[in-house]
């Protein structure tokens, strides 16, 4: 059976009480299935609400994570959260190097690498996001950018760490313009080849960027895709439940 991962990145949406209402609506909208997992990345302030809802439901197919961490475990870093703090709140996963961290907040490859190491140290499962800008794509650098970002964060670590990769072309995020299933599969195959070289062939690779109810099935028909990372289309609990339920037979 092909196990698929449906990851919801809420970004800076849904506070603690919104998150509780969301889960009350989502849980009955999607019954667990052995061939799919659902991961939620709420804002850090809402992690507790989602963790409590999942715990009370007794479900094991849902994992909660945070959207970013700082690499130091604790200390005088006003406004930041760390891996150990996120784990204490019940998070089990973390997005690392999301394009908004890289391009809105100026996160460098080096910082992404430090955060990935910190996630592993805190026993959080990292979802490392890679992907090119439109300019880089037009310059034919798509595969070079993905490889550079993989090398910077993961070289030498891929085989021992439990990691998931998300390929998210920057030009497709929040724009309504998704990569074609073929385009996505081509980049996924290159990422897979890199992972094989690192002795990590089994690593899951997700696609993200304007995935929605209309295009999810077509994208997931590509066997190179092990799941999706979804922003905007995960914010409505009923629509997200329907996407997870119907995107594959
Ligand atoms: P989107 O965002 O689905 O709204 O394009 C995806 C992401 O940034 O993870």
């Amino acid at each position: 059976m092909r196990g698929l991962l449906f990851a919801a990145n809420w970004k800076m949406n849904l506070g603690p009480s919104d998150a509780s209402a969301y889960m009350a609506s989502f849980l009955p909208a999607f019954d667990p299935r052995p061939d799919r997992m659902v991961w939620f990345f709420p804002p850090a302030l809402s992690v507790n609400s989602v963790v409590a809802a999942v715990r009370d439901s007794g479900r094991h197919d849902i994992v909660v994570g945070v959207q970013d961490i700082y690499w130091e475990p604790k200390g005088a870093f006003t406004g930041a959260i760390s891996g150990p703090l996120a784990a204490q709140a019940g998070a089990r996963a973390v997005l690392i190097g999301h394009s908004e961290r890289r391009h809105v907040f100026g996160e460098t490859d080096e910082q992404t690498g430090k955060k990935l190491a910190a996630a592993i140290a805190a026993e959080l499962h990292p979802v490392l996001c890679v992907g090119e800008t439109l300019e880089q794509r037009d310059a034919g650098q798509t595969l070079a950018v993905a490889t550079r970002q993989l090398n910077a964060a993961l070289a030498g670590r891929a085989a021992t760490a439990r990691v998931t990769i998300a390929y998210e072309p920057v030009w497709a995020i929040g724009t309504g313009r998704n990569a074609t299933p073929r385009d996505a599969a081509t980049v996924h195959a290159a990422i897979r080849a890199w992972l094989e070289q690192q002795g990590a062939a089994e690593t899951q690779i997700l696609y993200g960027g304007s995935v929605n109810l209309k295009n999810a099935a077509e994208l997931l028909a590509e066997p190179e895709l092990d799941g999706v990372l979804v922003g905007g289309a995960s914010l409505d609990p009923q629509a997200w439940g329907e996407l997870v339920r119907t995107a594959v037979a």
Side-chain angles (χ1 to χ4, degrees):
M1 197 188 312
R2 182 175 171 223
L4 291 174
L5 174 49
F6 293 83
N9 174 11
W10 291 355
K11 310 191 177 184
M12 200 171 71
N13 299 287
L14 303 176
S17 50
D18 303 329
S20 298
Y22 179 108
M23 293 309 287
S25 170
F26 173 77
L27 289 168
F30 173 64
D31 288 330
R33 297 194 29 173
D35 61 347
R36 57 205 79 178
M37 292 285 290
V38 186
W39 290 19
F40 285 104
F41 294 92
L45 288 170
S46 304
V47 163
N48 195 36
S49 299
V50 182
V51 166
V54 175
R55 189 188 50 229
D56 294 348
S57 73
R59 288 177 62 154
H60 299 292
D61 61 324
I62 300 176
V63 167
V64 186
V66 288
Q67 299 170 8
D68 182 42
I69 52 168
Y70 189 57
W71 52 83
E72 294 292 346
K74 63 176 183 169
F77 303 102
T78 301
I81 64 164
S82 70
L85 295 188
Q88 193 180 117
R92 287 166 50 204
V94 55
L95 298 179
I96 298 286
H98 186 274
S99 96
E100 285 143 24
R101 297 306 316 172
R102 295 178 191 266
H103 297 289
V104 181
F105 296 99
E107 188 170 305
T108 63
D109 281 347
E110 192 204 348
Q111 291 171 335
T112 297
K114 285 170 144 177
K115 290 180 176 189
L116 193 123
I120 294 168
E123 296 185 0
L124 295 174
H125 184 124
V127 178
L128 173 65
C129 305
V130 301
E132 80 287 0
T133 62
L134 191 55
E135 207 178 18
Q136 291 166 328
R137 180 183 181 82
D138 289 345
Q141 294 169 351
T142 298
L143 299 184
V145 169
T147 308
R148 191 198 75 222
Q149 292 174 336
L150 288 168
N151 273 321
L154 208 53
R157 282 204 280 257
T160 46
R162 262 183 339 124
V163 180
T164 298
I165 309 295
Y167 168 55
E168 297 204 302
V170 179
W171 49 269
I173 296 178
T175 58
R177 192 176 152 201
N178 63 290
T180 66
R182 266 288 82 216
D183 282 348
T186 303
V187 182
H188 279 229
I191 294 172
R192 176 78 56 212
W194 185 90
L195 288 164
E196 276 165 7
Q197 275 172 15
Q198 298 277 320
E202 298 304 309
T203 304
Q204 278 193 311
I205 309 173
L206 316 180
Y207 169 76
S210 294
V211 176
N212 57 38
L213 201 46
K214 288 208 181 74
N215 60 25
E218 182 191 28
L219 284 159
L220 287 170
E222 278 294 342
E224 290 286 351
L225 275 60
D226 301 317
V228 285
L229 176 55
V230 182
S234 72
L235 291 177
D236 178 281
Q238 290 293 318
W240 176 238
E242 189 180 345
L243 191 157
V244 178
R245 221 172 42 240
T246 60
V248 280

